[in-house]
Amino acid sequence: MTLDDLRVFIAVCRAGSLSAVARDLTCTQSAVSQHVKRLERETGISLLERRPRGVVPTAAGRILYEAAADGLAGLDLALRRLGDLVNGETGSVRIATGGTTVRHFMAEAIVAFRRRYPRVSLEFRTETSGRRCFDALLCGELDLAWITIGAPVRGIGQRPVVRLPWVLAVRAGDPLAARSHIDATELAGVPLVRLPPHSASGTQLDAALTELGVQAGSDTSVADWDTALLLAELGLGHAVVPALPGLPAPGDGPLRLVPVPDLPPLSVGWAVRRWDALPPLARAFAETVAETVAGAVGDGRAASRDGQHT
C-alpha cells in the first residue's frame, strides 16, 4: 500500500469513475484499477462496487476513504507548512468561491493581501455548491471556501463573517421603487427572478418565504446574484437578493433596492477543515477578507441610511 494508491482511491471515490480519474491523471484506466486492486488485496475486502454508471465505495471502502482522506489532508498540510518554514512567506492559498464572490467580497482584500505578501500565490477555484466545497476541503484540495453558512457539516468548521439583509431589486419607475421598505408578504404573487435552485442562498430564501406563507411566482432562473440584479435593472423582473457589499445605495440610477426587513439575514463566511490547523498564510487571507467585508458592509449601510433620508 502506497500513498499513491490511497490518493488514487480517494480520487475514484470522489469522481465515482475510474475513467474520469484516468483522464485527470493522464494514465490508463487499467493503471487506476491496479491501484485499487492493490488496496483490496492488502485489506482483504472489496472496496468498490461496480455499477452501470460508475463505481461507489462499499461500506469498507467508505471507512478507508474517510480515514485516508483525513490522513492525507493532514499530511499535505504538514508538508505545506514545512515548506513555509523553509521558504518564508511564500507559497499559495487555495480558495473556493462562488460565481460572484471575488467581486463583491474579496476584491479589496486581494489587493491588501498581495501588498503584504507579494510572493504568495492566491489560487481561486469556482465551485457550484457548498457540498463540492466541503468535499474538496475534506480531501485537502482547498484551504478555504467562501460559503453561505448553513447546517453543521461533519468535519467542517464554518465561521460567519457577515450577515446580509435581503433587498428587493427593481427598476426605477417600478411602482415598488419608491417604497422605503416592503414586507415579504407583499411579494405573494409577484414574479421573482429565481436564485440558483440548488444554491444555499436560494434554498434559504425559499424556506423563509414559505415560512411566512408567501408563494412568489417565478418564470426566470439565474446562475448568480449579479445576473438577477441585471435582469431587475433592465426591467425584466423583480429579484430578492442579499444586500451585497458594493451595491448602489438608493438614489439616482436605473436600479432601486428596497429593504425586505422581515426576511432573516443571510449569513456568509468561511468554511475550513480545521481552524486550528489552518496554514498561517490562509489564516491571514481569511482575516483580511473578514476585515474588509465588515468595513464595506458598514459603509454601505451608512450610505443606504443617508440615501433614505435625502
Side-chain angles (χ1 to χ4, degrees), residues 104-116:
H104 290 293
F105 297 101
M106 298 185 186
E108 184 179 346
I110 290 171
V111 173
F113 184 84
R114 284 183 168 162
R115 285 175 178 165
R116 184 177 177 187

Side-chain angles (χ1 to χ4, degrees), residues 161-162 245 288-300:
V161 171
V162 65
T288 302
V289 171
E291 291 168 2
T292 56
V293 167
V297 170
D299 292 344

Side-chain angles (χ1 to χ4, degrees), residues 57-300:
T58 62
R62 174 60 60 178
I63 292 172
L64 180 61
Y65 165 75
E66 292 178 353
D70 188 64
L72 289 178
L75 177 61
D76 289 340
L77 174 60
L79 292 174
R80 293 182 66 213
R81 296 183 72 176
L82 288 174
D84 291 342
L85 289 175
V86 172
N87 300 318
E89 292 179 345
T90 62
S92 63
V93 179
R94 303 164 301 172
I95 309 133
T97 69
T100 60
T101 298
V102 172
R103 174 186 175 189
H104 290 293
F105 297 101
M106 298 185 186
E108 184 179 346
I110 290 171
V111 173
F113 184 84
R114 284 183 168 162
R115 285 175 178 165
R116 184 177 177 187
Y117 302 102
R119 299 169 61 195
V120 176
S121 171
L122 295 175
E123 300 176 5
F124 292 99
R125 169 171 157 178
T126 301
E127 292 290 2
T128 56
S129 69
R131 182 68 262 174
R132 291 178 64 88
C133 289
F134 299 148
D135 287 343
L137 286 167
L138 289 170
C139 287
E141 298 176 3
L142 296 171
D143 298 309
L144 299 160
W146 185 264
I147 63 164
T148 296
I149 303 297
V153 177
R154 181 182 177 186
I156 296 293
Q158 300 182 55
R159 181 166 295 181
V161 171
V162 65
R163 287 164 57 84
L164 303 171
W166 293 92
V167 295
L168 177 68
V170 298
R171 182 173 174 81
D174 187 277
L176 298 174
R179 297 280 296 273
S180 62
H181 71 279
I182 187 169
D183 295 333
T185 54
E186 297 178 79
L187 299 175
V190 175
L192 296 178
V193 175
R194 183 176 175 83
L195 297 181
H198 300 298
S199 68
S201 59
T203 299
Q204 291 188 29
L205 175 60
D206 289 346
L209 290 173
T210 299
E211 186 172 344
L212 293 169
V214 177
Q215 296 295 324
S218 175
D219 54 10
T220 305
S221 180
V222 295
D224 54 55
W225 296 331
D226 278 352
T227 305
L229 287 164
L230 177 60
L231 292 180
E233 183 175 331
L234 294 173
L236 300 178
H238 301 71
V240 177
V241 297
L244 302 168
L247 290 187
D252 294 334
L255 186 67
R256 296 291 187 271
L257 303 175
V258 183
V260 190
D262 51 344
L263 288 177
L266 186 74
S267 183
V268 297
W270 289 117
V272 302
R273 184 169 166 273
R274 283 179 50 193
W275 287 103
D276 59 353
L278 196 63
L281 291 172
R283 183 181 296 275
F285 182 74
E287 292 173 348
T288 302
V289 171
E291 291 168 2
T292 56
V293 167
V297 170
D299 292 344

Side-chain angles (χ1 to χ4, degrees), residues 18-30:
L18 296 171
S19 59
V21 174
R23 287 194 299 271
D24 289 343
L25 299 178
T26 62
C27 65
T28 65
Q29 183 172 326
S30 175

